[in-house]
Amino acid sequence: MPDGYLWITERMGKKVVKVSSVGGSKIEMLDLTSQVYQSVSQDGLLGMTVHPDLYADMNTNTNNYVYLVYTYDDDPGVGVSRKFRVARYTYNSCTGTLNNGSATTIIDNITAGNDHNSGKIKIGPDLKLYWTIGDLGNNRGGNACEEIRSQYLPLNNTDYSRYHGKILRLNLDGTIPSDNPTLNGVKSHVYTYGHRNAQGIVFGSDGTLYSSEHGDKTDDELNIITAGKNYGWPLIAGYNDDSAYAYCNWSNYPSNCGSYDSNSCPGSYIDESTSAVSMSGFNPPIGTYNSTVASEPTGGWLTWPTVAPSSINIYEGGLIPGWGKSLFIPTLKAGMILRTKLNVAGTALEDGTYEEFHLGNERFRDIIMDPDGVTLYTIT
C-alpha cells in the first residue's frame, strides 16, 4: 500500500495484518476469529482486495473499503456447514486499522469445501469484483465420490449450487452486473467456467485479466480470462491436445470411489491422449509452465510435472532491461518463482520460456511488486 506497508491475510490466524517494508514490524488490522471457520488445509481467511479510491488516497472517507473472502460455519454447534462469504470493511485512517463493526456482507451462502477453495478476489478497472472459486477438490482423495461441477451452469440467477469451478464477476454491492454473459439462457454472477483451482488473478494496465490455475497431474494453466468462455475442466486440462491427461469420473462408480487411486480408474476414462474433446466455447491457455507432457505420469504428486501455481502478478515497470511486460508466478512445488514474458500486445507468451528465480523447499504463496519498480516481495 502507499503507506509503505504490506497488507496480508492470515488464513489460519484469521487476521488481517500489515507489515512494514522498512524493518518488518507487524500490526494487527482486523481479527476475524469469531467469524471465520478454519479446520483444514484450504479454508479460512482467504483473499483481499482494496477499493482503488482507497489505494489512491488513504485518508479518504469515501469508498475507503477493503473486501475479504473467507469460509464460515453456517451450522455452528450442530455440524460443520462450510460456506463462503465476501464481506466489506472500512479502513480507519486515524487508527490505521479496519473497523470491525463496519462489516457488510456482499454475498454469502455459497458452499465451500475442505480443498480447492481458490478464493482470490480483485477489483477490476471496470469497478467490478472478480472472485475465483475452485472445484472443492471433488473427484480426488477423500472427495472422490463427489462429482466435479465446473461444467455445470446455473439454472437461474440465484442458483449458487453451480458456482464451483468458476470465476465470478459481481457489482461491488454483490448484485449481478447487467453486462455479465448469458450462459445456457441465464445471466448470473458466473463470468467464466470450467476451472479447477484458479488461485491467482491479475489485471494488466490495459484491462486484460490473467489467471494462474492448478492442474492435476499435468497441465497447470496460465490463462487470459474472457467473458463467457469455457476453460475445459474436468474434460480438458491445458490444451485440447491429444496429450497425457485422462479424466476418470470416480463419482460414476459409487462402489469404488471410496478406494480412490490417482493411478487407476475403476471404469472408463475420457482420455485426451486418444482424441481431442469436442467442446463449445473452449478457451485454451497461453501457457502451461512446461507441465504438458506426452504420457500420463504415475507415482505421487511430488513426481508429477505440475508446479502448483499459487498466485500471479504482472510487471510493467519498464525499469529492468529485457523484461518488457512479464508475468510472475509463485509456486508451491520446488520453491520456484517463475517469470515469463508476454508479447507486446499482452495476448500471448513471447517465447514460452520461464525464468526460475529460486529453487528450494519453500512454498511461495503470493508475490507483489514494490512501487519502486525493482523490488519484489513474496510470502511463504
Side-chain angles (χ1 to χ4, degrees):
M1 291 291 287
D3 62 358
Y5 282 86
L6 298 157
W7 289 17
I8 300 166
T9 55
E10 296 185 343
R11 183 181 65 83
M12 295 176 66
K14 307 174 186 176
K15 294 177 180 179
V16 180
V17 301
K18 60 182 179 181
V19 174
S20 172
S21 60
V22 180
S25 61
K26 187 170 85 168
I27 299 171
E28 183 179 303
M29 298 180 68
L30 180 68
D31 186 344
L32 290 174
T33 301
S34 61
Q35 289 98 314
V36 174
Y37 179 82
Q38 188 280 317
S39 67
V40 293
S41 63
Q42 296 196 33
D43 63 355
L45 177 55
L46 303 173
M48 171 171 59
T49 192
V50 173
H51 196 286
D53 288 354
L54 176 60
Y55 189 85
D57 179 4
M58 293 190 67
N59 293 312
T60 184
N61 290 315
T62 303
N63 294 326
N64 55 339
Y65 298 136
V66 175
Y67 294 79
L68 300 168
V69 59
Y70 60 83
T71 55
Y72 67 97
D73 185 0
D74 196 38
D75 195 16
V78 179
V80 177
S81 177
R82 195 183 281 105
K83 299 287 185 70
F84 288 115
R85 174 177 291 134
V86 174
R88 189 190 73 197
Y89 288 82
T90 58
Y91 174 70
N92 187 324
S93 60
C94 295
T95 63
T97 63
L98 302 181
N99 293 326
N100 204 335
S102 67
T104 299
T105 295
I106 301 303
I107 191 171
D108 63 3
N109 201 32
I110 300 172
T111 300
N114 60 8
D115 199 6
H116 291 192
N117 283 317
S118 296
K120 184 69 77 173
I121 52 173
K122 292 283 185 183
I123 295 176
D126 54 1
L127 292 182
K128 304 301 180 185
L129 188 68
Y130 293 77
W131 173 21
T132 70
I133 299 180
D135 67 0
L136 306 190
N138 288 352
N139 202 53
R140 66 193 293 269
N143 299 325
C145 298
E146 303 297 324
E147 186 179 13
I148 294 171
R149 299 175 66 83
S150 300
Q151 291 293 320
Y152 286 42
L153 293 170
L155 301 176
N156 55 63
N157 61 11
T158 60
D159 184 10
Y160 295 175
S161 70
R162 297 186 173 210
Y163 275 13
H164 306 111
K166 312 295 191 297
I167 294 179
L168 306 184
R169 180 175 181 261
L170 301 80
N171 291 320
L172 294 183
D173 62 0
T175 56
I176 298 170
S178 60
D179 57 347
N180 265 13
T182 298
L183 298 169
N184 199 30
V186 174
K187 189 186 297 293
S188 69
H189 294 105
V190 173
Y191 191 65
T192 58
Y193 63 107
H195 297 286
R196 183 174 187 262
N197 191 19
Q199 291 189 351
I201 48 175
V202 68
F203 285 92
S205 59
D206 63 357
T208 302
L209 179 56
Y210 301 93
S211 172
S212 62
E213 180 164 346
H214 286 246
D216 186 8
K217 290 183 178 183
T218 64
D219 296 289
D220 292 319
E221 294 182 359
L222 175 54
N223 287 308
I224 291 177
I225 300 301
T226 304
K229 292 296 186 179
N230 184 350
Y231 288 78
W233 182 256
L235 305 179
I236 299 171
Y239 311 107
N240 197 7
D241 57 4
D242 294 345
S243 278
Y245 174 70
Y247 169 50
C248 174
N249 186 358
W250 284 82
S251 66
N252 274 349
Y253 311 103
S255 62
N256 299 96
C257 61
S259 56
Y260 172 80
D261 177 358
S262 63
N263 293 314
S264 69
C265 184
S268 60
Y269 285 99
I270 294 175
D271 195 346
E272 278 188 2
S273 66
T274 302
S275 61
V277 176
S278 177
M279 177 177 289
S280 176
F282 173 65
N283 206 57
I286 61 172
T288 59
Y289 316 102
N290 300 322
S291 65
T292 297
V293 293
S295 58
E296 184 180 9
T298 57
W301 67 276
L302 280 174
T303 68
W304 301 338
T306 46
V307 300
S310 55
S311 189
I312 193 170
N313 217 319
I314 192 165
Y315 176 82
E316 298 178 282
L319 297 179
I320 301 177
W323 279 16
K325 182 184 295 188
S326 289
L327 295 172
F328 285 98
I329 303 95
T331 74
L332 302 178
K333 284 172 66 175
M336 291 187 298
I337 298 169
L338 302 175
R339 181 188 68 87
T340 188
K341 188 176 179 181
L342 293 161
N343 63 9
V344 173
T347 57
L349 302 187
E350 184 177 75
D351 58 13
T353 62
Y354 301 90
E355 178 182 3
E356 295 180 10
F357 269 76
H358 187 64
L359 189 64
N361 295 320
E362 293 85 357
R363 286 166 61 83
F364 290 109
R365 179 57 62 182
D366 208 349
I367 190 167
I368 199 162
M369 175 66 68
D370 189 282
D372 69 8
V374 294
T375 306
L376 286 166
Y377 296 93
T378 188
I379 192 166
T380 70

